[in-house]
């Protein structure tokens, strides 16, 4: 396997970086009135403006060359054709099959998976309709008003993010809640206001072995049974979503109330599968199918568009440019839409669990940076918190600004105010403020002498800070589906450039194993000898101060 640093284009990009590193974007804009149209494109209801990046046509040419050299087109083909590209777990990676509403068959190990996918969608349609129209009755014959999804990681963040993003599509009188944390507070606070007779739990776990999810599921069952006083009530109040039928039945959930999915759906790519059931309950199956259709639109664009007009490829390569040539280590996701407030958390998992790795598919240590630290919050809150560092700190932090043209909640001129901020921040990051501008402004304000010179240094913004701007017509099921798929494919492309397997997550194992050693010690009120003095000291302190629960 060729490593990034062994590529001819890599050496060329390093040389090109030396030539361009000090070029100001403001000069590039001044020299080219067509820069916006040259460096923007529209696909599947999303406008991507990437003109405020430190790039020229030759930069992109070299980046596309790098992608060709590392056989990106071949890898795209391998993913879509169901090859086992998740080599450490020996699995195909086929979340694209879950939204394939074309007639194209998709094979895994010689079998077309599409009939199974369509079958589960139909089951989701029936069950979600029953819950929404009141045909699904709780044990005491009452209709369901509250659905609580119990899951964590990939079985929580996607459904949570999408359900919250699509709140305008929720049915009145039916609420969906999400519980993930093993901290009993999460479940307790969620259940505090709910009526057991009108509450339905969805236990979402690919493996059905996850400690947090099973603990919360058992506690939820105990809460239900305490109120309804009959084991038989479980059948009317629990649905399971899993790949593990045996474990679901062992928990006591009727197989008729189980929705299945498959091992070729990675946890953090699973919101399109039965894991998306709470979304379907909240917004209805027609809207859920729109979400899938939006993602499918982006899949088809990604699969068929030439690299130079391919939105996920362009976004991925811009990230590579900053991470591997400018030395950036972080990526901010800044949605200017309250409904999209969980998007940064969702993308944090999607990106960091996929590409937070330092070993190539062949098992070689990388000698270059890989996945960035992904973070952010909904605008404009971040502006009053950490934007200071993005504007004037020493770090280069590429930012993705995301906003809808139309709001679901037009209050006076608030949407114009929101969007003026969405537009102003990338402009300010790019233009900055020179010492001369700062001096002129301060002089106009009557400030002079030493104080003037001091303030000039504080009020100068370096500028030349890169960003992408994405505009959706509105946050709808279809545009959201396309947006998520855009990022999924961006992450895939970056994984290919870095030579990683983006679809395993061994890094989460060690902590789990150690927690399993510590748990019995805590319960037995003793400290194991094999721990380091720090861990031992902390356990001792905990046990000494623990009050009986
Ligand atoms: C995602 C990860 C991880 C997983 C959770 C929950 O890609 O694999 O976040 O989704 O650990 O796992 P279960 O769905 O098996 O409970």
């Amino acid at each position: 396997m060729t490593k990034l640093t062994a590529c001819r284009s890599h050496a060329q990009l390093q040389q090109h970086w030396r030539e361009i590193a000090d070029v100001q974007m403001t000069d590039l804009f001044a020299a080219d009135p067509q820069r916006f149209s040259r460096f923007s494109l529209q696909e599947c209801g999303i406008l991507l403006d990437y003109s405020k990046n430190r790039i020229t046509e030759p930069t992109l040419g070299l980046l596309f060359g790098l992608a060709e050299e590392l056989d990106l087109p071949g890898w795209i083909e391998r993913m879509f054709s169901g090859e086992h590209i998740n080599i450490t777990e020996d699995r195909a990676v086929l979340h694209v099959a879950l939204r394939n509403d074309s007639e194209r068959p998709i094979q895994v190990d010689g079998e077309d998976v599409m009939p199974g996918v369509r079958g589960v969608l139909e089951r989701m349609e029936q069950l979600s309709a029953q819950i929404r129209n009141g045909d699904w009755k709780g044990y005491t014959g009452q209709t369901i008003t509250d659905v609580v999804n119990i899951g964590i990681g990939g079985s929580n963040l996607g459904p949570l993010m999408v359900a919250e993003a699509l709140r305008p599509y929720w049915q009145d009188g039916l609420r969906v809640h999400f519980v993930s944390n093993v901290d009993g507070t999460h479940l307790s606070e969620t259940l505090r206001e709910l009526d057991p007779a009108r509450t339905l739990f969805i236990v979402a776990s690919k493996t059905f072995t996850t400690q947090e999810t099973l603990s919360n599921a058992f506690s939820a069952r105990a809460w239900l049974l305490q109120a309804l006083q009959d084991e038989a009530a479980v059948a009317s109040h629990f649905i399971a979503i899993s790949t593990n039928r045996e474990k679901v039945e062992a928990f006591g959930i009727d197989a008729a109330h189980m929705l299945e999915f498959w091992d070729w759906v990675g946890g953090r790519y699973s919101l399109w599968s039965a894991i998306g059931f709470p979304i379907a309950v909240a917004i209805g199956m027609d809207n859920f199918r729109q979400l899938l259709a939006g993602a499918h639109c982006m899949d088809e664009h990604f699969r068929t568009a030439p690299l130079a007009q391919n939105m996920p490829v362009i976004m991925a390569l811009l990230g590579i440019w900053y991470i591997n040539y400018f030395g950036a280590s972080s990526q901010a996701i800044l949605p200017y839409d309250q409904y999209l407030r969980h998007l940064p958390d969702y993308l944090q998992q999607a990106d960091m669990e996929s590409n937070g790795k330092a070993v190539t598919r062949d098992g070689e240590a990388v000698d270059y940076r890989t996945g960035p630290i992904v973070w952010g919050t909904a605008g404009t809150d971040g502006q009053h918190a950490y934007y200071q560092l993005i504007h004037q700190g020493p770090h280069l932090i590429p930012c993705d600004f995301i906003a809808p043209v139309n709001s679901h909640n037009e209050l006076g001129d608030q949407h114009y105010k929101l969007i003026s901020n969405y537009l102003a921040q990338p402009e300010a990051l790019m233009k900055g403020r020179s010492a001369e501008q700062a001096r002129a402004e301060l002089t106009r304000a009557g400030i002079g002498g030493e104080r003037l010179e001091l303030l000039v240094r504080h009020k100068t913004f370096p500028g030349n800070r890169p960003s992408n701007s994405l505009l959706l017509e509105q946050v709808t099921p279809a545009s959201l589906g396309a947006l998520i798929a855009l990022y999924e494919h961006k992450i895939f492309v970056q994984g290919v450039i870095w030579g990683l397997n983006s679809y395993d997550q061994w890094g989460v194992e060690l902590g789990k194993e150690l927690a399993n050693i510590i748990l019995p010690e805590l319960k037995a009120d003793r400290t194991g000898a094999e721990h380091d003095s720090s861990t031992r000291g902390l356990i001792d302190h905990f046990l000494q101060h623990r009050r009986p629960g």
Side-chain angles (χ1 to χ4, degrees):
M1 190 194 102
T2 313
K3 267 164 89 175
L4 163 66
T5 37
C7 289
R8 193 171 22 86
S9 329
H10 173 66
Q12 292 169 336
L13 277 160
Q14 284 182 311
Q15 175 57 31
H16 178 66
W17 175 79
R18 282 189 279 275
E19 291 157 14
I20 208 176
D22 293 327
V23 171
Q24 296 295 310
M25 280 189 276
T26 44
D27 292 335
L28 296 173
F29 272 97
D32 179 7
Q34 301 305 316
R35 189 170 167 87
F36 169 74
S37 43
R38 198 182 305 288
F39 295 131
S40 61
L41 79 160
Q42 288 187 61
E43 280 304 327
C44 307
I46 300 173
L47 166 69
L48 168 68
D49 169 20
Y50 58 102
S51 59
K52 292 194 191 81
N53 279 292
R54 293 165 73 168
I55 54 164
T56 57
E57 298 262 14
T59 319
L60 287 176
L62 290 171
L63 287 166
F64 295 133
L66 179 70
E68 293 279 5
E69 218 179 314
L70 290 164
D71 192 26
L72 175 60
W75 280 102
I76 296 175
E77 174 61 25
R78 269 170 226 132
M79 176 170 71
F80 277 85
S81 61
E83 269 190 42
H84 286 210
I85 61 170
N86 176 354
I87 46 156
T88 58
E89 296 178 313
D90 193 18
R91 289 174 183 165
V93 174
L94 272 181
H95 40 282
V96 292
L98 300 166
R99 55 235 191 177
N100 172 28
D101 62 6
S102 73
E103 293 302 311
R104 205 165 53 87
I106 297 188
Q107 311 266 335
V108 175
D109 304 327
E111 195 188 321
D112 182 9
V113 297
M114 290 315 302
V117 168
R118 290 188 198 107
V120 171
L121 284 171
E122 276 162 30
R123 287 271 294 132
M124 287 171 68
E125 179 136 35
Q126 290 158 2
L127 285 180
S128 60
Q130 281 174 21
I131 297 165
R132 287 166 63 84
N133 67 22
D135 284 351
W136 181 293
K137 300 281 192 273
Y139 181 65
T140 60
Q142 301 198 63
T143 53
I144 300 299
T145 52
D146 293 274
V147 174
V148 181
N149 188 78
I150 297 177
I152 196 164
S155 301
N156 169 65
L157 286 163
L160 165 70
M161 183 273 285
V162 172
E164 288 297 332
L166 298 177
R167 253 184 191 264
Y169 300 84
W170 284 28
Q171 175 172 301
D172 283 347
L174 184 59
R175 290 169 296 273
V176 180
H177 313 262
F178 292 85
V179 172
S180 54
N181 199 341
V182 76
D183 180 347
T185 299
H186 201 171
L187 184 67
S188 304
E189 286 296 340
T190 306
L191 299 183
R192 193 181 291 282
E193 305 287 328
L194 304 193
D195 174 358
R198 310 193 73 175
T199 299
L200 176 70
F201 292 98
I202 300 172
V203 185
S205 176
K206 183 173 170 180
T207 54
F208 231 77
T209 58
T210 304
Q211 185 197 51
E212 293 91 332
T213 300
L214 291 187
S215 304
N216 276 321
F218 278 113
S219 297
R221 188 165 71 170
W223 174 82
L224 183 87
L225 293 181
Q226 195 180 6
L228 302 183
Q229 296 288 321
D230 187 348
E231 280 281 333
V234 172
S236 333
H237 290 268
F238 275 86
I239 287 180
I241 300 164
S242 187
T243 57
N244 194 337
R245 184 170 291 265
E246 256 174 47
K247 295 258 191 242
V248 168
E249 284 175 343
F251 179 87
I253 297 178
D254 190 341
H257 292 167
M258 174 183 165
L259 290 164
E260 65 168 342
F261 63 115
W262 307 273
D263 74 353
W264 43 263
V265 182
R268 54 193 171 277
Y269 298 89
S270 64
L271 72 88
W272 321 99
S273 70
I275 289 288
F277 185 63
I279 306 171
V281 172
I283 67 174
M285 202 59 193
D286 287 350
N287 284 320
F288 188 77
R289 286 186 192 274
Q290 286 296 311
L291 179 83
L292 300 182
H296 179 64
C297 176
M298 190 55 75
D299 294 342
E300 285 303 283
H301 164 68
F302 177 56
R303 195 173 66 83
T304 58
L307 299 187
Q309 283 130 46
N310 195 312
M311 198 180 273
V313 172
I314 291 168
M315 282 183 63
L317 293 175
L318 289 168
I320 298 287
W321 179 228
Y322 296 118
I323 293 164
N324 297 108
Y325 300 93
F326 284 81
S329 54
S330 127
Q331 166 74 57
I333 303 289
L334 307 167
Y336 277 62
D337 186 282
Q338 189 65 11
Y339 287 124
L340 293 179
R341 68 193 178 286
H342 294 292
L343 184 67
D345 286 355
Y346 169 77
L347 291 178
Q348 193 171 61
Q349 183 198 22
D351 202 324
M352 292 171 74
E353 210 166 56
S354 296
N355 288 339
K357 291 162 194 170
V359 169
T360 66
R361 286 187 300 272
D362 291 348
E364 268 190 69
V366 297
D367 52 2
Y368 42 84
R369 282 171 191 255
T370 60
I373 299 156
V374 176
W375 58 285
T377 43
T380 57
D381 289 36
Q383 291 177 202
H384 298 263
Y386 52 75
Y387 275 43
Q388 164 63 37
L389 182 147
I390 305 179
H391 281 286
Q392 285 189 309
H395 308 274
L396 177 82
I397 301 177
C399 300
D400 285 356
F401 290 90
I402 304 165
V405 172
N406 298 295
S407 169
H408 284 285
N409 298 291
E410 298 281 350
L411 288 184
D413 65 351
Q414 286 189 220
H415 193 60
Y416 286 105
K417 286 176 176 152
L418 176 73
I419 298 304
S420 63
N421 280 283
Y422 157 84
L423 295 169
Q425 290 295 332
E427 191 175 28
L429 285 167
M430 191 260 286
K431 288 185 175 165
R433 186 163 54 198
S434 67
E436 293 69 42
Q437 286 168 313
R439 186 172 288 108
E441 278 172 31
L442 288 162
T443 309
R444 270 200 301 279
I447 299 169
E450 271 182 29
R451 183 156 178 76
L452 171 72
E453 289 313 314
L454 176 70
L455 287 182
V456 163
R457 284 195 287 277
H458 286 275
K459 292 194 162 218
T460 299
F461 286 55
N464 221 18
R465 306 217 158 181
S467 63
N468 293 316
S469 297
L470 294 100
L471 269 176
L472 280 55
E473 200 202 314
Q474 191 166 37
V475 179
T476 62
S479 68
L480 182 64
L483 182 71
I484 302 167
L486 166 62
Y487 278 97
E488 285 179 344
H489 295 320
K490 172 199 161 176
I491 292 163
F492 168 78
V493 173
Q494 292 190 331
V496 169
I497 303 293
W498 291 320
L500 306 173
N501 175 11
S502 301
Y503 300 103
D504 60 11
Q505 55 282 320
W506 301 108
V508 303
E509 294 301 325
L510 179 60
K512 278 195 218 170
E513 284 167 24
L514 294 185
N516 282 334
I517 294 172
I518 294 172
L519 177 61
E521 295 174 6
L522 298 181
K523 287 186 177 173
D525 199 5
R526 64 170 178 84
T527 312
E530 67 281 8
H531 299 298
D532 56 88
S533 68
S534 161
T535 309
R536 249 197 338 266
L538 290 165
I539 293 176
D540 286 345
H541 184 91
F542 173 85
L543 292 175
Q544 277 159 22
H545 292 83
R546 175 81 179 146
R547 286 192 299 274

